[in-house]
Amino acid sequence: MARVSRKSAGAWPVRWDLLLRYRLIEVMALWEGRLTTNHLMRAFGIGRQQASKDINTYLADYGPDNLTYDRFLKGYRPTEAFKPVFTQGVADEYLQMMHAREDLACSFESLTVRELNTEVLLPPARDLRPAVLRPVLQACREGKRVEIEYASLANPEPEFRVIQPHTVVHTGYRWHVRAWCEKNGDFRDFVLSRISDRPELVLPGDRGVEDDEAWRTRVIVRLGPDPRLSPPQQALIERDYGMKRRGMEHGELRLETRGALVSYLLQQLRVDTPADHRSPEAQQVVVLNHDEVQQWAVMPG
């Protein structure tokens, strides 16, 4: 994200609410090609006069060359010289905004927040209860042990465990907590929807994030087109994933993550099973440094 240097260093010049509005201005203009006061009015519940003021302030103080008014579109469009100030200019920012709108539209049917020409497929919600998450987060913050009643695929009958959690994680599909398991004597992932009772905080813990080697270790996962694809097909996959070529070799994509999260990344990319188990058209990408990442690819129970 570009730095906003309107004021001296050390003093962030934009209030949080304005920051969100300016981000929406850039995302909508860049990715939909048209920004109107209605976008701001609907998203933030503000009047047309305030929405117009926000756009004019953005243009005057932060992105004077980013937008131009188009009478045909009846709105602002990005200029050829557009440079993001409050965003990074990547598609994921647009996706996240659409995801938030879809989530609100599903929860509050009377809200008119869903755009007419966009749709986001949301994964099914897991059974995560506030009575479970709150004490787990408190234990993470305060470095305490917590007693839980937990079931897993290996042991489907609930049993009491004492864990020392340090981080709550959302993998894109479900929530889990990374914690030291006193029963097994190692760090493991506990799926929050499988905790069947209210967790109870007990004594202070003696195992924290600094002791979790798999969490602290950064791992590079290298991805490339499935070699079984034809050269034109591989070139297409390279373009899909923004893979960078090095010399005359095929392109590759490098993703950095924590060792404890490698399994979830491989699962998201559908490369957690041997490539020959699927057709090349379905597989599309393969892990190029399989031996390096395999040691981290252990899924929780």
Side-chain angles (χ1 to χ4, degrees):
M1 184 186 302
R3 292 178 179 268
V4 179
S5 56
R6 183 186 176 206
K7 295 186 179 180
S8 60
W12 179 246
V14 184
R15 299 197 318 263
W16 176 253
D17 59 330
L18 288 176
L19 174 62
L20 295 179
R21 295 180 206 173
Y22 294 155
R23 284 178 62 84
L24 183 138
I25 286 173
E26 292 191 350
V27 169
M28 299 308 296
L30 180 61
W31 294 103
E32 293 199 357
R34 178 176 179 264
L35 170 76
T36 70
T37 53
N38 284 336
H39 286 112
L40 293 167
M41 292 166 61
R42 292 170 61 191
F44 298 102
I46 59 178
R48 189 173 304 279
Q49 184 177 359
Q50 181 62 55
S52 180
K53 179 182 177 181
D54 289 340
I55 295 174
N56 289 332
T57 302
Y58 170 83
L59 287 170
D61 293 351
Y62 304 108
D65 299 321
N66 279 354
L67 305 176
T68 184
Y69 189 80
D70 189 313
R71 294 184 180 277
F72 178 76
L73 292 176
K74 296 182 180 179
Y76 294 87
R77 59 175 174 79
T79 66
E80 292 293 330
F82 183 93
K83 291 183 179 180
V85 179
F86 296 94
T87 61
Q88 295 178 327
V90 296
D92 278 359
E93 292 167 325
Y94 180 64
L95 174 62
Q96 290 165 8
M97 193 166 289
M98 293 303 101
H99 186 287
R101 290 183 174 194
E102 189 72 16
D103 189 39
L104 283 172
C106 292
S107 301
F108 306 99
E109 294 182 359
S110 61
L111 288 181
T112 56
V113 295
R114 181 185 278 127
E115 292 297 317
L116 296 177
N117 305 111
T118 60
E119 190 80 21
V120 177
L121 180 63
L122 300 178
R126 297 298 180 103
D127 179 30
L128 176 57
R129 289 154 286 138
V132 169
L133 182 59
R134 282 197 299 261
V136 168
L137 284 174
Q138 183 181 349
C140 291
R141 290 194 305 266
E142 299 177 2
K144 290 187 176 180
R145 289 177 168 89
V146 59
E147 186 177 68
I148 62 174
E149 190 176 359
Y150 189 73
S152 66
L153 291 179
N155 297 288
E157 291 298 323
E159 61 178 353
F160 285 99
R161 303 270 191 103
V162 176
I163 63 174
Q164 300 180 41
H166 65 70
T167 307
V168 170
V169 179
H170 186 258
T171 66
Y173 297 99
R174 67 184 185 185
W175 293 88
H176 72 256
V177 62
R178 182 75 176 171
W180 175 262
C181 176
E182 297 195 352
K183 173 187 175 182
N184 295 289
D186 59 8
F187 282 96
R188 296 194 172 197
D189 299 339
F190 294 88
V191 181
L192 291 176
S193 60
R194 294 177 181 171
I195 297 177
S196 57
D197 202 359
R198 184 188 299 269
E200 181 179 350
L201 273 65
V202 288
L203 299 173
D206 57 3
R207 296 279 185 166
V209 65
E210 66 278 0
D211 303 307
D212 190 347
E213 180 184 1
W215 184 263
R216 292 186 294 103
T217 302
R218 308 298 298 188
V219 179
I220 301 294
V221 179
R222 296 170 48 224
L223 299 171
D226 191 317
R228 296 174 296 172
L229 294 171
S230 68
Q233 289 175 319
Q234 292 186 41
L236 182 63
I237 297 302
E238 290 174 1
R239 188 165 67 247
D240 281 348
Y241 285 85
M243 295 178 177
K244 297 181 179 179
R245 286 180 173 269
R246 289 171 173 79
M248 297 299 293
E249 299 181 2
H250 290 298
E252 68 174 50
L253 177 65
R254 296 185 173 219
L255 302 176
E256 182 177 344
T257 188
R258 298 182 184 276
L261 300 179
V262 164
S263 294
Y264 303 104
L265 177 61
L266 300 183
Q267 193 177 58
Q268 281 186 353
L269 296 167
R270 300 189 303 174
V271 292
D272 53 325
T273 56
D276 56 8
H277 288 190
R278 308 173 69 196
S279 69
E281 290 78 13
Q283 183 66 34
Q284 297 189 3
V285 297
V286 296
V287 178
L288 300 178
N289 57 334
H290 185 270
D291 292 340
E292 296 177 30
V293 304
Q294 189 59 36
Q295 61 175 311
W296 306 105
V298 179
M299 296 299 295

